[in-house]
Amino acid sequence: MDIGRKVRQARLALGYDQQELARAVGLNREAIVNIEGGKRRLKAEELWAIARVLERPVVYFLQEEEGPRLAVVARRGDTATREAKRAELWLRRHFSEYQQVLHLLGYTGRPAVSLDWPDESTVIRQARAAAGEQRKCHGLEAEPVVNLRDYLERYVRIPVFGQTVEDTDFCGMLLMAENGAAAVMLVNQKLLASRANFTMAHEYGHLLWKLRQGKSGDDVCYREASDHNEEMFANCLLYTSDAADELDGVDLGGRRII
């Protein structure tokens, strides 16, 4: 088992240099060089520390095969910071645990949503139709959903995790199994309540779009929201009236959640 190679891969994935990793785990740079080069055996406590810093389960370094491909939709912006990548890895680990729970409980099939809305209208109208379909699917009245996190976990069967991410551009992330059979959501705990609600609604929109399009196996995606149908659709699950046809996700005063 080439643990050193896995350490190097995980380190590079988060953009750490050898000195930074050494400092974070209480070793010197020479030790990291030798570990990655296969010239020094790792002690159990050192492996544990490295796994913690690099946001990987210890078993990652002890097995050859990679896990299944997953789809991620994450923050605005076309580049991923180290903190955003760490958040992604943190969520992947929790998603694996969630899938184990679903298996033990005998749950199968995709999250409980309705994918019945017209294709021939504008993206904005599609989003509003999709929001209406979710209300009918879950027997909701016309009033706004006050506790969106509870709604997602109770009705849609998507756990919403909170995690502090020291990246002011990072808001949230949706992680899906390649077959769309399960999904989890992450929201930056540093967000104000109104912004967190928008983020949950936005990621919910990504879930609906991907399930409808059958694209749940996409690669990790960090992108700008402008002029992109999926991003516009996701934004438009949050609205006030038919007149609010352009949403930038900034002014959240009075807007409804689905």
Side-chain angles (χ1 to χ4, degrees), residues 124-244:
I124 293 170
R125 293 189 183 279
Q126 287 178 35
R128 293 181 182 168
E133 284 298 324
Q134 307 323 304
R135 286 183 170 278
K136 288 192 293 184
C137 174
H138 300 126
L140 300 177
E141 302 296 332
E143 291 300 311
V145 177
V146 177
N147 188 333
L148 187 57
R149 179 174 183 171
D150 180 70
Y151 164 78
L152 290 169
E153 295 186 338
R154 182 190 301 263
Y155 294 101
V156 188
R157 209 170 69 223
I158 297 180
V160 180
F161 295 101
Q163 171 81 338
T164 298
V165 182
E166 298 296 336
D167 177 346
T168 56
D169 290 327
F170 180 91
C171 294
M173 179 181 294
L174 177 75
L175 188 61
M176 301 174 65
E178 188 170 4
N179 59 5
V184 294
M185 193 179 295
L186 175 66
V187 176
N188 191 349
Q189 289 188 153
K190 296 189 71 175
L191 299 179
L192 296 176
S194 58
R195 178 68 220 195
N197 275 339
F198 173 80
T199 295
M200 285 185 280
H202 179 89
E203 301 301 343
Y204 187 18
H206 279 298
L207 172 77
L208 296 176
W209 181 275
K210 287 187 174 297
L211 289 176
R212 175 69 175 263
Q213 301 294 325
K215 295 181 177 179
S216 58
D218 290 350
D219 292 329
V220 176
C221 179
Y222 298 89
R223 64 172 170 234
E224 293 288 353
S226 59
D227 196 29
H228 191 284
N229 283 347
E230 183 179 337
E231 292 292 340
M232 288 192 292
F233 179 91
N235 278 347
C236 289
L237 286 191
L238 192 70
Y239 66 93
T240 46
S241 68
D242 289 341

Side-chain angles (χ1 to χ4, degrees), residues 7-236:
V7 170
R8 183 175 186 275
Q9 288 176 346
R11 174 178 63 78
L12 292 176
L14 284 179
Y16 281 93
D17 61 32
Q18 291 172 324
Q19 182 61 50
E20 287 178 309
L21 178 58
R23 186 181 304 113
V25 300
L27 297 173
N28 57 46
R29 181 179 177 276
E30 183 181 3
I32 298 298
V33 170
N34 288 333
I35 288 168
E36 293 185 353
K39 299 177 180 178
R40 181 186 184 283
R41 295 187 63 180
L42 267 169
K43 299 177 182 178
E45 61 270 21
E46 293 171 345
L47 179 57
W48 185 269
I50 288 173
R52 178 181 52 79
V53 170
L54 298 181
E55 292 290 354
R56 306 279 181 154
V58 172
V59 69
Y60 166 84
F61 301 97
L62 303 176
Q63 61 186 9
E64 287 292 348
E65 66 276 6
E66 298 293 337
R69 286 181 58 210
L70 299 172
V72 178
V73 182
R75 74 182 190 86
R76 297 170 188 267
D78 57 4
T79 59
T81 65
R82 178 185 293 172
E83 286 300 312
K85 291 179 180 178
R86 286 177 64 93
E88 177 197 327
L89 292 168
W90 184 90
L91 187 59
R92 283 179 184 271
R93 197 162 67 249
H94 284 71
F95 189 26
S96 177
E97 295 169 356
Y98 175 61
Q99 288 178 301
Q100 293 177 39
V101 170
L102 291 182
H103 176 73
L104 291 172
L105 295 177
Y107 288 149
T108 59
R110 59 175 170 76
V113 298
S114 171
L115 302 179
D116 184 20
W117 64 83
D119 288 321
E120 61 272 12
S121 56
T122 66
V123 172
I124 293 170
R125 293 189 183 279
Q126 287 178 35
R128 293 181 182 168
E133 284 298 324
Q134 307 323 304
R135 286 183 170 278
K136 288 192 293 184
C137 174
H138 300 126
L140 300 177
E141 302 296 332
E143 291 300 311
V145 177
V146 177
N147 188 333
L148 187 57
R149 179 174 183 171
D150 180 70
Y151 164 78
L152 290 169
E153 295 186 338
R154 182 190 301 263
Y155 294 101
V156 188
R157 209 170 69 223
I158 297 180
V160 180
F161 295 101
Q163 171 81 338
T164 298
V165 182
E166 298 296 336
D167 177 346
T168 56
D169 290 327
F170 180 91
C171 294
M173 179 181 294
L174 177 75
L175 188 61
M176 301 174 65
E178 188 170 4
N179 59 5
V184 294
M185 193 179 295
L186 175 66
V187 176
N188 191 349
Q189 289 188 153
K190 296 189 71 175
L191 299 179
L192 296 176
S194 58
R195 178 68 220 195
N197 275 339
F198 173 80
T199 295
M200 285 185 280
H202 179 89
E203 301 301 343
Y204 187 18
H206 279 298
L207 172 77
L208 296 176
W209 181 275
K210 287 187 174 297
L211 289 176
R212 175 69 175 263
Q213 301 294 325
K215 295 181 177 179
S216 58
D218 290 350
D219 292 329
V220 176
C221 179
Y222 298 89
R223 64 172 170 234
E224 293 288 353
S226 59
D227 196 29
H228 191 284
N229 283 347
E230 183 179 337
E231 292 292 340
M232 288 192 292
F233 179 91
N235 278 347
C236 289

